[in-house]
Amino acid sequence: MAQAVQKLVAKVPSLVSSAVSFSKPRLATFWYYARVELVPPSPAEIPKAIEGATNILKSVQSGRLGQTTVKDAIRNGLVATEVMMWFYIGECIGKGGIIGYDV
């Protein structure tokens, strides 16, 4: 038993160095995209977002929504589903469980 523990302890530095060399490029890629994608909107981007929302409302009111292709409709549905699921995940994290609030 003692020999097995000694062998395991002897392998730890090489395992750690392998894990570090494996994760460094992946973490660098993650941080690159995190800095770009996970930032809040700048004050210059807010009017563009409002304009985009008003364009969507105008297209719904004018009936242009019926001219959406199936591919675009599926893509929009998947994006809406993703947003909804992140909202639910945030709710579960915030309340500390899956079922109900403690009132």
Side-chain angles (χ1 to χ4, degrees):
M1 180 70 174
Q3 285 181 331
V5 171
Q6 286 177 349
K7 286 181 182 179
L8 182 65
V9 169
K11 289 182 181 179
V12 167
S14 65
L15 291 174
V16 169
S17 66
S18 297
V20 168
S21 65
F22 177 81
S23 62
K24 269 189 179 180
R26 285 158 183 81
L27 285 173
T29 303
F30 169 76
W31 284 117
Y32 171 76
Y33 287 114
R35 284 189 200 110
V36 174
E37 297 292 332
L38 299 177
V39 295
S42 67
E45 294 173 336
I46 292 174
K48 292 178 186 175
I50 293 172
E51 181 182 342
T54 55
N55 288 341
I56 290 172
L57 289 174
K58 287 178 185 176
S59 68
V60 169
Q61 290 172 347
S62 68
R64 202 176 84 211
L65 187 64
Q67 298 173 354
T68 306
T69 63
V70 173
K71 183 178 179 179
D72 287 340
I74 290 173
R75 186 181 307 139
N76 292 342
L78 288 174
V79 169
T81 303
E82 181 184 6
V83 169
M84 184 175 61
M85 295 308 291
W86 279 114
F87 172 77
Y88 288 140
I89 290 170
E91 282 286 313
C92 291
I93 291 169
K95 66 185 172 187
I98 295 175
I99 302 172
Y101 288 98
D102 294 329
V103 179

